[in-house]
Amino acid sequence: MDEIALHVLDIGMNAVAAGARHVVVTIVEDVEKDRLEIRVVDDGKGMDPEQVRDVLERFSSDKAQRKRPIALGLALLRQTAEKCGGGLRITSTPGRGTQVDAWMRHRDYDRPPLGNLADTLFALCLGAPEVDVQCTHQKNGTVFHFDSAQVRQALGPGVSLQSPEGVRAVRRALGSRE
Amino acid sequence: MPAYRSHVLLCAGGACISCGCLAVRDALEQELQRQGLSDEIRVVQTGCVGSCDLGPVMIVYPDEVFYQKVRPADVPKLVEEHFLKGRIYEPLLVKSPETDNLIATQREFAFFNKQFKIVLENCGIIDPEKIDEYVARGGYQALGMVLTERSPQWVIEEVKKSGLRGRGGAGFPTGIKWELMAKSPGDEKYIVCNADEGDPGAFMDRSVLEGDPHRVLEAMAIAGYAVGARKGFIYCRAEYPLAIKRTQLAINQAREAGFLGKNLFETDFSFDIEIRVGAGAFVCGEETALLASIEGKRGIPRPRPPFPAVSGLWGKPTLISNVETYACICPIIMRGGEWYASIGTEKSKGTKVFALAGKIQNTGLVEVPMGTTLREIVYDIGGGVPNGKKFKAAQTGGPSGGCIPAEHIDVSMDYESLAKMGSIVGSGGLIVMDEDSCMVDVAKFFMDFCMDESCGKCPPCRVGTRQIYGILDKISKGQAVVEDLTLLEELCMMVKETSLCGLGQTAPNPVLSTLRYFRDEYLAHIVDKRCPAKVCPDLVRYTIDEEVCTGCSLCAKNCPENTIFKVDGEKKYRIDPVRCIRCGVCYDVCRFNAVIKE
Amino acid sequence: MKLSDLQQWRDRAVRDVSMRGERKEWRIVVSMGTSGIAAGARDVMRALMDEIERQELENVEVALTGSLGLDDFEPVLRVEHQDESVFYGRLTPEAARSIISEHVCQGRKVERFVIGLPKERE
């Protein structure tokens, strides 16, 4: 998982599996303040405190290691964030949704590159076409915004995001920056 | 928010309800609750799936697994196997009669995968009582687009381009009818939907109203916009209480959402719909009788011209079309008239829903492109004639239609081809008959129906149908002479040519058609006093084969007239041919096939 | 009610019924769990959709899943057609394109990437 964008994809997939209808990704790169912030909010079925603890401590407790090592994504990201002088926090309400916040030093040597965010959003919104995937990426005053719901509306009824026309439309909407 | 991993669709059309699907639904909901699966598995009640003799029907999505004849007692095992263990529950699957293989999914079942659904595209998929589901499938997009972005003229052009013809039976080009309506002067016009569906054996209109009522409402509003009408009526026969209930619910929901009422989609077009209920008269399916009935008068037809498009309800221009016709409108608007015209034959565009019944493996509703052959419908989709019997004929168009004999089974099902055969497409009723059907009896049955339903206004129909029936009755009792056939044909032509309305004009069709293709059967009844198919009670003889008879006396005990007696000195029974009333009970009860029917 | 309001209503409602109705002729399920993503499933997905678009295919449905039970062979996907299921593993973006252009478009399985079922590996 050597890209932040891959972590975003992983967290997005968790959201889809939790039955989310909306996934909102916000990434803020503040070079001046030397801070990278990532936030993913979803309206899926959420987790209770024990589930949150379990997900974050996937490889630090014996119990977790005895289980199959799946869904290590969040534990890995937390490890990476902490190594880069930051951290990760999960806020979740069962039945309402989950918010994952990760932050770290922007200039840290060990900080993974942002990576290909466009491909992450492409994979997420095409793989789960009924989910609204939104993303706002801020860097040094410029903002990139993507909303799969807008692409769907522009396509009109009867045209699926997965159709050739839909794929082209998503690509166009993403291609404007990344 | 629950993320359902599966949707279980239960057919709740009229037929399945009468098979007890509601008890299955209750059992399913209870069991899912008990197993803690209510948040993962969603139970949905839908309209008619089409495979009516396999009810109660259950389809599990996303895998499309198809379960038939589900009973409440089956539910616990089914839930355990399918939803907990993830295995298909084989005892409830359909078995292919030819290969004996189990058919697991809907898409593998020829009855479904050979159909092309337009009219029925939502039936069996959505819950007809939830407007959300109709909207999810694209509902009211057509109305919204038409009102905000298109002119009435555009709508009429699109319907003309589609080549859609009236599905009630007459097959009049719908686009032209709309055009005539638009041109009729006056600002008070009406849209009427004919949901009387009088043909015995036809139930597609019922299924559309029970399974996807919004489709019809939306189309009527679009029609209103195109021709300049603000009010619509749905005339539904009283024998369809479920259809009436669901349609009224749909109207209420549409009004609440702003799809019916004033200023739809923030334009200055307003449209509303009311249901009017019939009172058990076949003749009220005839358009002028129907309009009279809406006006509160006795359902009697009147001469045309003037046609309803010029002078209809209360003397105002009225567009009256069948449920199925309206059900085609929204797809035509959304996908284009050209798309619709690319389906079907040159003169008969689009698809038609047929109600397949009689001696056929798979009964139910079948929607196919116009031009599909009768053979494909009977064998590929219908699964052929069961019990190894031979196909004899198929009656199309109910009491107004004719029969297609076996030698013409490759006929293309379209308006022109069937008319050439002496039949009609009609409502789409398709009754399959095998070697055990008597064509004289069939003709008599339909004539009896028409005679009963005749409104009595015009003598040709009122008297003519009675006379025709009289002759058919004589024939079926072996009391006719050859000259009666000539008289029969003359009478039929006279009734056909001089009756006031469609009921009388088409009532002789079954007779003329059976005479054309099965004249020898009529002659057997008249000359030989014999019913080859062994149906007409007066011409059937029952005798006991004394070689086979075991003397069990079951026949004698059940004979209502005590005409069966023991043969002196033997353990055998004999029927007294003079006193026998040919009821057939002995034939039914004999366990040794000793009773011969000839 | 405006037309745009109706479209929004539809977008919200469609998720409830999208599971039902006609399935596409081809269905491809791509494993996109953590191990899949780490092995490169995202780029495989990208290549897959790009090729579907390039070939102008309207009869393919793609779905993502957490795991197909073949973690050792990630990136993994399953191709479903009629009543047949084929598993492909150790995929590259190039392999994904061949699966579309050869298997889906021409009915020829891409043998060098086909892997057996999870049960068979045990």
Side-chain angles (χ1 to χ4, degrees):
Chain A
M1 299 286 256
D2 49 5
E3 287 180 29
I4 298 284
L6 289 177
H7 280 290
V8 171
L9 179 54
D10 181 57
I11 299 171
M13 280 302 296
N14 292 343
V16 168
R21 302 269 166 88
H22 294 84
V23 177
V24 183
V25 178
T26 316
I27 299 179
V28 180
E29 293 189 73
D30 196 336
V31 181
E32 231 181 73
K33 294 213 185 99
D34 190 23
R35 195 172 157 92
L36 168 65
E37 278 172 12
I38 305 132
R39 169 177 293 177
V40 182
V41 184
D42 74 65
D43 58 358
K45 67 177 189 232
M47 299 180 272
D48 60 39
E50 196 183 312
Q51 289 171 305
V52 171
R53 211 173 20 246
D54 185 54
V55 148
L56 285 177
E57 289 164 17
R58 270 285 141 91
F59 36 47
S60 51
S61 72
D62 286 315
K63 196 170 100 171
Q65 274 170 346
R66 263 184 267 121
K67 282 193 206 156
R68 271 183 74 207
I70 51 164
L72 289 172
L74 280 166
L76 273 168
L77 182 57
R78 187 216 217 179
Q79 212 179 43
T80 307
E82 285 173 355
K83 205 153 76 146
C84 300
L88 183 142
R89 177 182 61 233
I90 301 179
T91 331
S92 189
T93 316
R96 295 273 298 277
T98 303
Q99 179 171 313
V100 176
D101 282 288
W103 59 96
M104 57 197 87
R105 277 197 298 266
H106 195 273
R107 279 199 302 275
D108 196 299
Y109 185 75
D110 288 321
R111 191 220 6 126
L114 190 56
N116 194 333
L117 190 56
D119 274 4
T120 284
L121 296 169
F122 184 95
L124 204 52
C125 73
L126 286 177
E130 298 94 51
V131 175
D132 265 348
V133 177
Q134 274 183 61
C135 177
T136 311
H137 178 199
Q138 258 180 26
K139 182 174 183 173
N140 297 332
T142 43
V143 180
F144 161 73
H145 186 75
F146 171 82
D147 185 350
S148 72
Q150 275 177 7
V151 178
R152 252 207 321 276
Q153 263 212 13
L155 280 176
V159 185
S160 153
L161 273 182
Q162 287 188 357
S163 67
E165 210 188 311
V167 174
R168 283 191 285 267
V170 170
R171 213 192 277 131
R172 256 194 321 264
L174 287 168
S176 49
R177 246 224 40 204
E178 318 279 29
Chain B
M1 222 173 308
Y4 293 108
R5 66 174 162 93
S6 184
H7 288 201
V8 178
L9 270 53
L10 291 169
C11 178
C16 283
I17 289 189
S18 63
C19 290
C21 73
L22 296 179
V24 174
R25 176 204 62 190
D26 291 339
L28 185 61
E29 281 173 351
Q30 229 172 55
E31 186 67 17
L32 290 174
Q33 180 87 286
R34 210 175 68 85
Q35 299 281 12
L37 293 169
S38 305
D39 279 345
E40 293 172 45
I41 316 283
R42 182 165 158 194
V43 179
V44 183
Q45 269 177 231
T46 65
C48 184
V49 165
S51 50
C52 299
D53 65 334
L54 300 178
V57 163
M58 179 190 286
I59 307 177
V60 183
Y61 282 96
D63 313 296
E64 293 176 29
V65 177
F66 185 88
Y67 292 119
Q68 54 141 0
K69 301 205 172 101
V70 185
R71 298 271 110 87
D74 295 319
V75 170
K77 202 84 219 301
L78 193 159
V79 169
E80 188 190 323
E81 282 298 305
H82 194 130
F83 298 112
L84 289 175
K85 296 191 181 151
R87 294 199 288 252
I88 295 180
Y89 185 57
E90 292 187 354
L92 292 177
L93 292 180
V94 175
K95 207 180 207 187
S96 158
E98 299 109 39
T99 64
D100 245 12
N101 286 341
L102 291 176
I103 298 175
T105 65
Q106 220 181 350
R107 126 186 350 227
E108 292 165 38
F109 194 3
F111 179 78
F112 291 107
N113 67 31
K114 297 219 178 243
Q115 293 190 44
F116 187 115
K117 297 205 192 217
I118 298 179
V119 168
L120 299 176
E121 64 190 355
N122 285 338
C123 287
I125 309 269
I126 63 168
D127 181 336
E129 298 184 8
K130 295 204 164 82
I131 187 173
D132 281 305
E133 302 206 352
Y134 182 67
V135 167
R137 298 274 290 182
Y140 291 108
Q141 297 275 345
L143 180 62
M145 175 187 77
V146 147
L147 293 184
T148 58
E149 296 167 18
R150 300 276 187 269
S151 67
Q153 201 44 46
W154 179 90
V155 177
I156 295 176
E157 277 312 306
E158 214 59 30
V159 177
K160 278 171 70 176
K161 258 193 262 177
S162 74
L164 176 65
R165 292 168 69 164
R167 293 286 189 259
F172 186 83
T174 310
I176 300 197
K177 199 187 254 196
W178 287 30
E179 197 169 52
L180 289 171
M181 267 294 287
K183 289 202 180 106
S184 286
D187 61 352
E188 203 184 321
K189 300 184 190 174
Y190 297 100
I191 305 292
V192 173
C193 173
N194 185 343
D196 195 58
E197 194 160 60
D199 278 5
F203 57 102
M204 50 292 275
D205 292 350
R206 187 196 85 210
S207 297
V208 171
L209 288 180
E210 283 177 359
D212 192 9
H214 285 283
R215 190 179 196 81
V216 174
L217 305 181
E218 190 182 349
M220 287 173 73
I222 291 175
Y225 176 71
V227 311
R230 287 187 311 272
K231 185 67 190 270
F233 291 96
I234 298 179
Y235 186 87
C236 184
R237 60 183 297 183
E239 295 90 331
Y240 287 170
L242 184 58
I244 293 170
K245 170 179 152 212
R246 291 204 179 141
T247 306
Q248 187 58 58
L249 180 62
I251 291 176
N252 298 345
Q253 289 172 343
R255 281 185 189 144
E256 228 180 272
F259 298 129
L260 285 177
K262 297 222 180 311
N263 301 108
L264 308 182
F265 286 94
E266 299 181 4
T267 64
D268 52 23
F269 176 67
S270 301
F271 192 81
D272 206 350
I273 299 177
E274 225 182 274
I275 299 180
R276 288 294 168 93
V277 179
F282 177 66
V283 73
C284 283
E286 195 280 334
E287 57 183 17
T288 56
L290 191 158
L291 295 179
S293 177
I294 293 182
E295 290 175 9
K297 304 191 194 117
R298 187 166 179 256
I300 308 185
R302 57 159 177 76
R304 284 159 297 161
F307 288 91
V310 171
S311 169
L313 266 187
W314 299 293
K316 307 291 180 196
T318 303
L319 175 67
I320 167 162
S321 277
N322 174 268
V323 170
E324 203 182 326
T325 312
Y326 285 116
C328 298
I329 297 295
C330 296
I332 289 175
I333 299 295
M334 291 311 289
R335 288 170 239 178
E338 262 147 33
W339 159 79
Y340 194 78
S342 71
I343 302 161
T345 69
E346 205 202 305
K347 298 226 183 96
S348 302
K349 302 291 185 191
T351 59
K352 177 81 189 79
V353 181
F354 291 97
L356 204 49
K359 308 285 176 71
I360 188 114
Q361 184 70 35
N362 304 322
T363 61
L365 289 184
V366 169
E367 187 172 356
V368 290
M370 287 287 210
T372 304
T373 63
L374 180 58
R375 183 191 293 275
E376 281 173 87
I377 296 177
V378 171
Y379 288 100
D380 295 345
I381 300 178
V385 180
N387 302 322
K389 301 279 186 175
K390 270 181 26 225
F391 173 84
K392 184 169 182 181
Q395 165 76 15
T396 67
S400 316
C403 59
I404 310 291
E407 70 248 32
H408 291 296
I409 198 176
D410 287 300
V411 69
S412 148
M413 301 296 282
D414 64 64
Y415 291 103
E416 276 68 35
S417 305
L418 288 185
K420 269 208 275 267
M421 297 265 131
S423 183
I424 59 170
V425 172
S427 61
L430 191 63
I431 304 192
V432 178
M433 293 172 269
D434 66 11
E435 59 208 61
D436 294 336
S437 307
C438 170
M439 301 319 281
V440 176
D441 186 60
V442 167
K444 193 173 127 179
F445 167 81
F446 282 120
M447 190 50 67
D448 185 21
F449 178 82
C450 291
M451 176 178 80
D452 210 34
E453 295 289 337
S454 170
C455 76
K457 180 168 175 176
C458 69
C461 177
R462 184 178 77 236
V463 183
T465 53
R466 194 162 287 271
Q467 293 302 318
I468 294 173
Y469 180 81
I471 299 178
L472 289 172
D473 195 41
K474 266 174 59 179
I475 296 175
S476 74
K477 290 183 170 141
Q479 293 162 355
V481 291
V482 179
E483 288 75 22
D484 286 327
L485 272 188
T486 323
L487 182 55
L488 185 61
E489 280 166 321
E490 271 174 27
L491 264 175
C492 282
M493 292 315 293
M494 187 269 295
V495 171
K496 202 173 157 64
E497 286 161 16
T498 61
S499 291
L500 174 58
C501 83
L503 194 160
Q505 287 159 8
T506 61
N509 284 348
V511 184
L512 289 170
S513 175
T514 48
L515 270 173
R516 175 171 165 179
Y517 296 111
F518 296 96
R519 204 181 186 84
D520 48 314
E521 227 172 301
Y522 278 86
L523 287 171
H525 284 72
I526 295 171
V527 176
D528 303 335
K529 313 290 181 201
R530 200 174 56 87
C531 175
K534 304 184 199 142
V535 171
C536 300
D538 284 45
L539 299 184
V540 174
R541 271 189 298 268
Y542 290 95
T543 50
I544 294 177
D545 182 350
E546 295 187 10
E547 313 263 299
V548 182
C549 177
T550 64
C552 75
S553 81
L554 202 54
C555 56
K557 291 197 180 107
N558 283 283
C559 177
E561 292 293 311
N562 286 319
T563 66
I564 308 183
F565 56 93
K566 191 159 169 296
V567 178
D568 271 340
E570 293 178 52
K571 202 170 186 302
K572 303 237 176 265
Y573 281 82
R574 200 173 284 168
I575 299 173
D576 177 348
V578 174
R579 288 169 53 215
C580 172
I581 60 165
R582 280 77 160 260
C583 66
V585 173
C586 56
Y587 182 78
D588 289 334
V589 303
C590 179
R591 287 187 299 237
F592 303 97
N593 291 327
V595 179
I596 301 171
K597 187 173 156 178
E598 57 199 352
Chain C
M1 157 93 50
K2 290 204 267 291
L3 194 53
S4 55
D5 295 329
L6 175 62
Q7 281 172 356
Q8 270 175 28
W9 183 356
R10 185 187 186 210
D11 279 344
R12 284 193 312 269
V14 81
R15 288 150 208 158
D16 290 329
V17 298
S18 62
M19 191 190 295
R20 317 174 208 161
E22 268 158 34
R23 302 264 87 181
K24 296 252 156 94
E25 191 190 334
W26 294 87
R27 185 158 185 255
I28 302 181
V29 184
V30 181
S31 167
M32 195 68 71
T34 310
S35 47
I37 295 174
R42 181 191 63 188
D43 297 344
V44 165
M45 173 73 174
R46 174 81 204 222
L48 202 70
M49 297 310 301
D50 280 349
E51 190 65 18
I52 288 176
E53 183 257 317
R54 205 176 74 88
Q55 299 279 2
E56 294 288 339
L57 299 176
E58 300 272 0
N59 58 347
V60 184
E61 184 200 321
V62 177
L64 301 177
T65 186
S67 165
L68 283 170
L70 289 157
D71 291 12
D72 298 335
F73 297 88
E74 295 280 10
V76 161
L77 61 78
R78 182 177 73 221
V79 177
E80 294 171 8
H81 181 234
Q82 293 179 342
D83 46 10
E84 200 192 19
S85 256
V86 180
F87 283 81
Y88 284 101
R90 299 218 169 99
L91 292 166
T92 60
E94 208 47 61
R97 278 189 270 273
S98 318
I99 290 173
I100 297 296
S101 60
E102 289 172 38
H103 187 163
V104 175
C105 291
Q106 298 175 58
R108 269 201 328 258
K109 298 202 243 291
V110 188
E111 292 296 342
R112 61 195 188 284
F113 289 101
V114 174
I115 54 178
L117 294 173
K119 277 203 303 277
E120 290 170 16
R121 312 303 315 182
E122 269 156 30

